[in-house]
Amino acid sequence: MLINTGVPTREQLDRLLPSPERRARGPYAMVECFQEIPCNPCSTACPFDAILPMKDINEIPAIDLDRCTGCGICAGVCPGLAIFIIDESKKDGTATVTIPYEFRPLPEKGETVNAVNREGDVIGDATVTRVLASKRTKTPLITVEVPAELVHDVRFISLIDEQSFSDDTSSESQKSPVSHETAPKTDDEDEIIICRCEGLTLRVIRDLIREGYTTVDEIKRISRAGMGPCQARTCGPLIAAEIARMTGQQVAEIQPSAHRAPVKPLPIEFFLGGDSE
Ligand code: SF4
Ligand code: SF4
């Protein structure tokens, strides 16, 4: 289930798939955003109005794929890194997927990288065909060519030269309860925003875990993470995952924060009992 694993189900993904005719026609956006969160840059950024306007900022984005040109602008502005551009129009057994990629160093055009699926497993090789690092959008977009049958599975890349570093950090993370060395520390990574509502970075969360705040509720009370409009629907699972990683536990062992109704923001007219002014 998405809320427990962070991975959408096959059924959820199949519902996004365009018709075979649209898939063959050219690039299109796969908007893999399944939770009602207060977020809408995709719909306001699309120059073709393909991502439909939202009446309520909590709506799940809806896309009109006949209007979508696959330009990728939405993928570059989505803070959830939830949009991918797929091109299955080539008839040579390959397809491309464009992935928002917020890591350094960036790969280079022509480089062979690991193709990684939604679960984080390497499932093959991919060839980088385009690196778009625009100052305007800030999130670089990496286009990779993969075998056509993998294009709906590949959702991340990792650089082959960094494989040994990743393996070292994951084995180290199993050893100690709270280790300062477990974090793959880079300045860039520490500045990742974990709680958008309260503007809290991964550095803040990691510092609190090192200080001994090792439950999601403790971190919520000391930092206000999860007290904003999204009510922990975005940051809660991320904080739980970081606690698990730094304390050598499984994510399933980490208690989510306490929730009280209403569990999502509601329009004031709901409490007024109707839609009359
Ligand atoms: S890829 Fe371009 S046209 Fe398609 S939804 Fe995104 S911004 Fe709109
Ligand atoms: S997370 Fe991305 S896809 Fe979802 S609403 Fe926000 S901008 Fe749109």
Side-chain angles (χ1 to χ4, degrees), residues 27-29 31 42 45-51 63-65 67-75 83 85:
Y28 60 88
V31 183
C42 55
C46 177
F48 304 100
D49 294 330
I51 300 186
I63 182 165
D64 177 349
L65 285 165
R67 291 188 195 170
C68 175
T69 65
C71 69
I73 289 174
C74 54
I83 303 180
I85 309 301

Side-chain angles (χ1 to χ4, degrees), residues 31 33 37 39-43 54 59 61 77-83 196:
V31 183
C33 178
I37 53 171
C39 185
N40 67 357
C42 55
S43 72
M54 298 179 186
E59 278 176 24
V77 301
C78 168
L81 310 185
I83 303 180
R196 287 199 300 263

Side-chain angles (χ1 to χ4, degrees), residues 5 17 20 27 34 63 68 78 109 121 168 188 195 204 251 254 267 277:
T5 63
L17 269 187
F34 300 99
I63 182 165
C68 175
C78 168
K109 186 174 173 185
D121 300 321
D168 286 352
D188 282 355
C195 172
V204 172
V251 176
I254 309 296
E277 289 185 14

Side-chain angles (χ1 to χ4, degrees), residues 3-4 215-218 220-221 232 236-237 239-240 243 251-259:
I3 196 78
N4 294 328
T215 70
V216 182
D217 261 338
E218 286 171 340
K220 171 178 159 183
R221 290 184 190 119
I239 292 170
I243 293 171
V251 176
E253 296 174 68
I254 309 296
Q255 280 281 39
S257 60
H259 287 279

Side-chain angles (χ1 to χ4, degrees), residues 87-250:
D87 188 353
E88 302 175 88
S89 62
K90 290 203 287 181
K91 303 284 184 277
D92 61 358
T94 67
T96 62
V97 51
T98 299
I99 297 168
Y101 186 80
E102 293 187 332
F103 291 83
R104 291 290 190 275
L106 294 174
E108 291 180 6
K109 186 174 173 185
E111 189 173 338
T112 300
V113 294
N114 293 311
V116 178
N117 67 10
R118 295 179 181 83
E119 288 82 5
D121 300 321
V122 174
I123 55 172
D125 286 347
T127 306
V128 177
T129 59
R130 191 176 71 154
V131 177
L132 188 65
S134 147
K135 282 192 184 130
R136 195 162 71 85
T137 62
K138 297 213 169 64
T139 296
L141 298 177
I142 310 298
T143 302
V144 293
E145 186 179 79
V146 295
E149 65 272 17
L150 293 184
V151 77
H152 290 292
D153 295 320
V154 176
R155 286 299 178 268
F156 191 63
I157 56 161
S158 64
L159 306 192
I160 289 173
D161 285 350
E162 295 196 335
Q163 186 71 34
S164 53
F165 170 76
S166 320
D167 289 348
D168 286 352
T169 49
S170 58
S171 60
E172 184 73 18
S173 69
Q174 303 300 317
K175 289 182 192 164
S176 60
V178 177
S179 163
H180 293 216
E181 275 61 57
T182 53
K185 282 156 74 82
T186 70
D187 287 346
D188 282 355
E189 188 182 79
D190 274 352
E191 296 314 314
I192 290 171
I193 298 286
I194 295 294
C195 172
R196 287 199 300 263
C197 305
E198 300 292 334
L200 299 170
T201 61
L202 185 54
R203 182 199 308 275
V204 172
I205 303 301
R206 285 178 173 169
D207 285 348
L208 290 171
I209 297 169
R210 288 182 190 120
E211 281 176 40
Y213 298 98
T214 52
T215 70
V216 182
D217 261 338
E218 286 171 340
I219 290 177
K220 171 178 159 183
R221 290 184 190 119
I222 193 80
S223 70
R224 289 193 51 83
M227 290 189 182
C230 95
Q231 289 291 287
R233 277 172 294 157
T234 307
C235 61
L238 297 175
I239 292 170
E242 192 60 16
I243 293 171
R245 197 185 63 76
M246 289 181 67
T247 59
Q249 300 177 73
Q250 299 294 316

